[in-house]
Amino acid sequence: MSVGARQAFLRWYAVDKRRLPVRADEGDAPDPYRVWLSEIMLQQTTVATVMPYFARFTERWPTVAALAAAPDEEVMREWAGLGYYARARNLLACARAIVADHGGRFPDEPTALLALPGIGPYTAAAVAAIAFGRRAVVVDGNVERVIARLHAIVTPLPAARAEIRARADALTPNERAGDFAQAMMDLGATVCTPRSPSCPRCPLSSWCAAFAEGAPERYPVRPPKKARPRREGEAYWLEHDGHVLLVRRPPTGLLGGMRALPTEPPAEANWRAAGAVEHVFTHFALTTTLRCARARSRSAARSTGEWWPIARIDEAGLPTLFAKLAARGLAWRAAGGDAASPAGPLPNARPGP
Ligand code: SF4
């Protein structure tokens, strides 16, 4: 891309860029905390989904120091629904490392950023370029698509990534690298879209090999799809006197550290199947059957957990899978549920709020 083309592209960005609440106002210097927070939230998640979460986080915790001081449980609860909960745990670990090791200021070099929890090469490059104007090569899914089309790269993903990265590096200017990165992301999000790119209004159409070929949707070339494995599981809705038994999941692994329904029977009871819920994770699809029962007393539960008021179940911060299962539990109650189910007295559940 010539210098003139790059300038034309940056002019397009100045006029047509997305006005997103996660971005600094016109003329304001970007706040590294907001840039980092939005980049972490946007991983695997759409802008529309992220917006309300970003607004709530920045209102509750306006600085990295405020977030670092927040109780884990509060942050996990605010995160519920965004998925990929390891990101939330890394978010807190990163905020605390910045306060403990960097005096509460984000480092401005990609290598120093990379050493922080939860920051991979993409996020390090994005924060360095967008928050600090460093020359860093930022390649997300949108940029990947734009570059693959500009150069009509025929190698399928993921093998094409090295070439895409080298091409992106060659295009990135020394000055205004942050604006250039955001311009590429915006072009991919609003013009060079996956299914029907708007080539006639694209500022790069004169330099685009895929446009010249006439079939830009062909790029990036995808490998043949593999079927996602399917797994099965169970979850248990045990209620007593308007409360349901919730447990805390182990700190590591799937949905680690989150509040959830038990996935092992928490009591001897007359369990009734109440349907199944489908949920798709990145690497597998899960069918979870819900079993419901009423306990005669709280001491019937043999698993450690907390009795949560059913009327406030939406405040429990359940991850999406368990929120869907809880909705099934509520439907089971609404349909009349079951008569009280006998359960043995193993009193180690603690009261909820
Ligand atoms: Fe994408 Fe079309 Fe622009 Fe090429 S001309 S970058 S395919 S929108």
Side-chain angles (χ1 to χ4, degrees):
M1 197 190 294
S2 67
V3 174
R6 213 178 268 135
Q7 280 170 350
F9 183 41
L10 286 170
R11 274 200 300 278
W12 167 84
Y13 174 66
V15 175
D16 279 4
K17 69 177 161 190
R18 290 177 292 172
R19 263 71 191 174
L20 303 174
V22 299
R23 286 187 174 159
D25 290 336
E26 212 69 52
D28 287 354
D31 175 355
Y33 169 62
R34 293 171 71 92
V35 173
W36 162 77
L37 182 63
S38 65
E39 290 298 338
I40 300 287
M41 285 184 166
L42 282 165
Q43 288 165 15
Q44 321 272 345
T45 313
T46 63
V47 172
T49 304
V50 160
M51 286 307 150
Y53 287 88
F54 184 81
R56 274 203 306 278
F57 264 70
T58 48
E59 195 184 320
R60 276 194 83 168
W61 302 298
T63 63
V64 69
L67 181 63
D72 291 33
E73 190 177 326
E74 293 293 306
V75 174
M76 298 306 272
R77 186 183 300 178
E78 288 291 4
W79 188 273
L82 269 181
Y84 303 93
Y85 294 91
R87 282 187 297 157
R89 289 192 293 278
N90 278 330
L91 187 85
L92 263 177
C94 183
R96 287 169 186 163
I98 284 166
V99 169
D101 306 334
H102 296 274
R105 295 169 71 88
F106 277 81
D108 60 0
E109 288 289 345
T111 39
L113 286 160
L114 252 182
L116 290 163
I119 296 195
Y122 164 76
T123 309
V127 173
I130 298 168
F132 299 107
R134 299 271 166 188
R135 187 188 183 283
V137 182
V138 185
V139 184
D140 69 354
N142 284 326
V143 177
E144 198 167 79
R145 182 168 60 254
V146 174
I147 301 273
R149 288 175 178 173
L150 282 176
H151 296 283
I153 294 172
V154 290
T155 312
L157 289 173
R161 293 219 163 98
E163 183 180 350
I164 288 174
R165 192 172 174 78
R167 297 280 195 180
D169 195 353
L171 285 179
T172 301
N174 291 328
E175 304 281 321
R176 298 186 61 194
D179 281 349
F180 185 81
Q182 292 181 95
M184 291 293 270
M185 291 177 193
D186 279 16
L187 189 77
T190 62
V191 178
C192 194
T193 50
R195 279 198 201 94
S196 31
S198 309
C199 300
R201 68 181 182 95
C202 174
L204 299 181
S205 57
S206 309
W207 297 275
C208 180
F211 178 53
E213 280 180 3
E217 299 88 347
R218 198 183 148 218
Y219 303 97
V221 178
R222 305 257 167 212
K225 268 201 178 153
K226 274 198 232 137
R228 201 182 247 129
R230 176 162 289 282
R231 293 192 201 161
E232 310 235 323
E234 292 192 333
Y236 294 85
W237 172 279
L238 182 65
E239 66 168 77
H240 174 73
D241 193 23
H243 290 68
V244 61
L245 185 71
L246 298 181
V247 294
R248 184 70 65 181
R249 290 183 62 81
T252 54
L254 188 71
L255 307 175
M258 301 297 294
R259 203 177 263 134
L261 293 171
T263 52
E264 303 282 340
E268 295 292 326
N270 184 17
W271 294 106
R272 296 294 170 96
V277 157
E278 301 289 330
H279 193 73
V280 178
F281 292 96
T282 321
H283 299 298
F284 64 95
L286 181 66
T287 305
T288 309
T289 301
L290 183 69
R291 302 195 188 282
C292 300
R294 289 207 170 101
R296 287 215 176 97
S297 69
R298 289 189 173 194
S299 62
R302 64 173 165 242
S303 64
T304 306
E306 56 188 322
W307 289 96
W308 191 272
I310 293 170
R312 288 171 45 202
I313 192 71
D314 55 341
E315 297 169 28
L318 296 176
T320 307
L321 166 64
F322 287 98
K324 288 186 199 171
L325 287 160
R328 280 221 158 255
L330 294 176
W332 173 78
R333 305 187 86 223
D338 189 18
S341 317
L346 289 162
N348 52 1
R350 65 182 168 81

